[in-house]
Amino acid sequence: MKNDAMTVDLPGKIGNTKLPYSNCLFPLFEAIINAVHAIQDRQKEKKEGGRIDITIDRSPQQSLIPTSGAPEIIGFTIVDDGIGFTDRNYQSFRTSDSTYKQQRGGKGLGRMLWLKAFNRAEIESVFQENDKYWTRSFGFALTQSGVVKHTKKETEKAPSKTMVKLLGYKRPYQHAAPKTAAPIAKRIIEHCLEFFALKTAPTIVLHDLDGEEINLNKEFDEDFHISSERRDFTVNDMPFSILHVMVKASGDAEHLLHFCADSRTVRSINGAKTICNIETPLHNEGQPFVYAGYVSGQYLNDRAINERTQFAISDSDDHNLFSDEEISWPEIIGGTAKEAEAFLQQFTAPVKERKMERIRKFVMEEASQYRPLLKHKIDKLDKIPAQILDDKLDIELYKIDQEYDAELRERCAELLAEGDPKALELEEHRVEMEKFTEEWNEHGMGKLARHVAYRKATLRFLYSRLHQQSSGKYSLEESMHEVIFPLRTTSDDVRADQMNLWILDEKLAVPLLPCIRDTLRSDESGNGCR
């Protein structure tokens, strides 16, 4: 009988599978998640099982050579006491894009990552099925069939156990991976944090050289976790959930927002660049901590690509009527940041107070042109990072000021468009016009202050060019010409703010040098040379 079943070109499928080098531990994570699911299945049936042992396999040849570092990692061994490779689980493993674990978020592609980062995998499983005990073993390699040397045989009664060995760590991924057990343990906890925070994780132990063991559950409770809380929120009416986690601060820890699909982290971003008034670390009753937010929702589940290494979500928030994007990344990140800010408010309030006081001092003493922002744009100032440097602070204030200027111009156009005699008699319109006029005047005074500061700085620079330089020579005429108007250009080539022809107005009627000198000696109130 002719076999018309579809076949899968495994080497081609692996070649089309995306796995950035920065995700070098994702194959290990997938094996661990599979082990967690196997344990959950066994516990559901028999209330038994609940341990995963992970061993870091290192190069035996390199260990014979004296070296300051640990031998290279060549693979990992993952052992669990879950339900095992029953016939149904084995059939699912052999089926590309299997939907067997779909309700758990399984996409049937996790094991493809094994062959993306490793040369092969070896699996051995002892399990119970149909009141008998069986042993199944096989290899998984980059061949057309994928599964090699498969055997299944009946065995005597034995505890359920599955061992997965990931062998032959490929160089690019091997070099990108952490070299010691501690950072690997941390990465596993971060990736599976929801299981640990909700106390649904089995016992997970990481083993390394010389008998080193790290109990990840104990590590989470004692050295990682402070508290956690789950909250629901929406973005454009789309439901999401976020698990707020306070983690004990370590030397290299940073605030992070993790976006998850089916309880697995897919994308992480720096929280300090997204959440307002956050510094590293924050403090809770004197204890330093960093924040981790784990965001989940059906929208993220549906938009995760098969390899679960990224989301198919637009990075642009420019929607139109013909777009099928309900929400974009900027909207999701913005909504998440707002929820995180509400949770962290009690811890970030002192940071916000110090930041705002610093901004007020900077504006009053060094950048008075931005004074209207202190009154009318507090919400925008709140978005400025708490630990920003002064030169970057001036740039951020300038950006906000330009946005404010554009906003006032738009409001002016709207008010003028409504300016018929009858409308102007309305009390509501009058109040709005008075409010606008007040802001417009304040913003204008800020511009005037900026102009005075710019004028004084320009004259000071020109004055320095007129003096004898440290070399004993005077500046060339062209260097002073550039200050007043760029050489070999006309007014068609140069914007008004790139020329300083105001220096040459009525001052040609008096000696230029004394005038500049007197101007620089005068205060900003306008006294001195006119």
Side-chain angles (χ1 to χ4, degrees):
M1 181 177 179
K2 183 178 179 180
N3 185 2
D4 293 325
M6 293 183 66
T7 60
V8 176
D9 184 342
L10 185 62
K13 185 141 187 101
I14 300 299
N16 291 328
T17 299
K18 307 300 181 184
L19 183 65
Y21 298 146
S22 58
N23 294 341
C24 53
L25 292 180
F26 268 45
L28 172 62
F29 298 157
E30 287 292 332
I32 294 171
I33 295 295
N34 288 341
V36 171
H37 289 165
I39 289 171
Q40 290 174 343
D41 288 343
R42 187 181 179 203
Q43 290 175 339
K44 188 183 301 182
E45 288 188 3
K46 296 192 173 184
K47 310 296 182 183
E48 297 176 344
R51 181 181 175 96
I52 301 173
D53 288 278
I54 307 161
T55 301
I56 301 173
D57 299 323
R58 297 184 180 273
S59 171
Q61 290 86 358
Q62 191 181 3
S63 63
L64 301 176
I65 304 173
T67 177
S68 58
E72 288 183 340
I73 297 175
I74 58 174
F76 297 93
T77 300
I78 303 93
V79 179
D80 69 77
D81 57 0
I83 196 169
F85 268 84
T86 62
D87 286 347
R88 187 176 182 183
N89 286 334
Y90 176 64
Q91 182 62 32
S92 174
F93 184 92
R94 292 179 62 246
T95 304
S96 176
D97 302 284
S98 170
T99 59
Y100 176 45
K101 291 186 178 182
Q102 195 170 57
Q103 63 181 4
R104 280 174 168 166
K107 296 180 181 291
L109 281 171
R111 64 201 179 285
M112 302 300 175
L113 299 182
W114 296 356
L115 298 187
K116 191 70 177 180
F118 295 86
N119 290 329
R120 69 187 192 281
E122 293 179 357
I123 297 94
E124 184 175 316
S125 182
V126 178
F127 58 95
Q128 184 180 2
E129 192 169 40
N130 300 325
D131 297 325
K132 295 181 179 181
Y133 292 88
W134 305 87
T135 296
R136 186 191 303 277
S137 64
F138 60 94
F140 185 48
L142 201 59
T143 63
Q144 194 61 45
S145 62
V147 173
V148 297
K149 298 181 179 179
H150 171 254
T151 63
K152 178 190 175 185
K153 58 184 179 181
E154 189 175 352
T155 186
E156 296 181 355
K157 181 178 180 179
S160 295
K161 183 179 76 170
T162 296
M163 178 175 66
V164 175
K165 296 182 71 69
L166 303 178
L167 303 170
Y169 214 173
K170 295 179 182 178
R171 282 290 180 181
Y173 296 100
Q174 180 192 62
H175 289 165
K179 308 306 178 190
T180 58
I184 294 175
K186 181 181 177 182
R187 293 276 295 276
I188 295 172
I189 291 173
E190 289 175 345
H191 190 84
C192 305
L193 188 138
E194 191 163 359
F195 292 116
F196 290 105
L198 297 178
K199 303 300 181 183
T200 59
T203 299
I204 304 178
V205 181
L206 180 66
H207 305 265
D208 199 7
L209 291 173
D210 303 322
E212 180 183 2
E213 289 186 359
I214 302 177
N215 185 308
L216 303 191
N217 309 74
K218 184 178 180 181
E219 184 84 3
F220 175 78
D221 290 333
E222 295 182 359
D223 301 321
F224 204 88
H225 183 246
I226 297 176
S227 67
S228 56
E229 177 182 340
R230 181 176 292 282
R231 294 182 183 179
D232 297 326
F233 68 103
T234 61
V235 178
N236 290 358
D237 297 325
M238 191 71 66
F240 292 91
S241 177
I242 182 169
L243 180 66
H244 300 291
V245 183
M246 295 165 58
V247 179
K248 295 177 183 178
S250 61
D252 59 346
E254 59 183 13
H255 306 289
L256 292 170
L257 289 174
H258 303 277
F259 296 89
C260 309
D262 307 301
S263 301
R264 311 181 200 187
T265 297
V266 176
R267 179 180 180 180
S268 300
I269 64 174
N270 190 328
K273 296 180 179 179
T274 309
I275 303 169
C276 291
N277 305 311
I278 197 168
E279 64 181 7
T280 306
L282 292 170
H283 291 83
N284 178 27
E285 297 180 350
Q287 182 178 22
F289 75 92
V290 294
Y291 167 80
Y294 287 80
V295 185
S296 57
Q298 192 58 45
Y299 186 80
L300 295 177
N301 294 344
D302 295 341
R303 295 304 178 102
I305 68 171
N306 287 337
E307 297 87 354
R308 272 188 292 266
T309 56
Q310 58 182 306
F311 292 100
I313 299 176
S314 173
D315 284 322
S316 172
D317 55 4
D318 184 18
H319 297 316
N320 58 60
L321 294 176
F322 304 101
S323 173
D324 62 352
E325 291 285 350
E326 293 91 344
I327 47 179
S328 64
W329 264 120
E331 291 170 324
I332 294 173
I333 293 173
T336 300
K338 185 176 180 180
E339 175 60 31
E341 288 161 12
F343 174 79
L344 294 169
Q345 186 175 12
Q346 60 178 314
F347 310 110
T348 59
V351 181
K352 178 178 180 178
E353 184 177 349
R354 291 195 300 270
K355 182 189 75 175
M356 293 307 297
E357 179 57 35
R358 179 183 163 216
I359 291 175
R360 278 191 289 268
K361 183 177 179 181
F362 178 81
V363 169
M364 300 303 291
E365 295 181 359
E366 300 185 42
S368 58
Q369 66 268 28
Y370 302 128
R371 289 182 65 176
L373 303 181
L374 298 176
K375 180 178 180 180
H376 300 289
K377 289 297 169 186
I378 290 294
D379 59 328
K380 294 290 185 180
L381 299 181
D382 198 38
K383 301 293 183 182
I384 295 177
Q387 298 172 322
I388 192 170
L389 300 176
D390 279 355
D391 56 342
K392 296 294 174 61
L393 174 58
D394 185 75
I395 293 173
E396 291 302 315
L397 291 172
Y398 177 78
K399 291 178 181 177
I400 297 172
D401 187 60
Q402 291 299 297
E403 291 177 5
Y404 186 34
D405 183 73
E407 178 186 319
L408 287 175
R409 291 175 184 273
E410 289 179 7
R411 286 171 58 191
C412 178
E414 291 173 2
L415 289 169
L416 291 176
E418 299 170 2
D420 62 274
K422 292 183 179 179
L424 290 174
E425 293 175 2
L426 297 176
E427 180 66 17
E428 181 179 345
H429 190 84
R430 184 186 65 79
V431 171
E432 179 63 25
M433 181 65 80
E434 288 180 354
K435 179 182 177 183
F436 167 76
T437 303
E438 179 185 356
E439 289 191 46
W440 182 270
N441 288 339
E442 290 176 352
H443 192 65
M445 287 186 286
K447 285 187 173 182
L448 177 60
R450 180 165 60 240
H451 174 70
V452 171
Y454 170 77
R455 175 189 174 98
K456 188 170 184 177
T458 303
L459 291 178
R460 187 181 299 278
F461 178 72
L462 180 59
Y463 186 57
S464 69
R465 309 298 285 177
L466 292 173
H467 278 78
Q468 191 177 43
Q469 304 300 303
S470 58
S471 62
K473 299 181 180 180
Y474 287 91
S475 300
L476 297 175
E477 178 186 353
E478 64 180 29
S479 66
M480 290 179 285
H481 196 297
E482 289 286 349
V483 176
I484 299 171
F485 196 94
L487 289 167
R488 292 174 290 279
T489 58
T490 70
S491 56
D492 293 331
D493 306 315
V494 182
R495 297 197 315 267
D497 60 356
Q498 292 178 311
M499 60 181 80
N500 294 304
L501 291 173
W502 53 269
I503 297 175
L504 302 179
D505 52 13
E506 73 276 12
K507 294 181 180 59
L508 291 176
V510 294
L512 181 61
L513 183 60
C515 177
I516 296 175
R517 182 189 62 236
D518 293 343
T519 300
L520 293 173
R521 289 175 178 173
S522 67
D523 58 31
E524 293 184 2
S525 64
N527 298 324
C529 180
R530 300 294 297 172

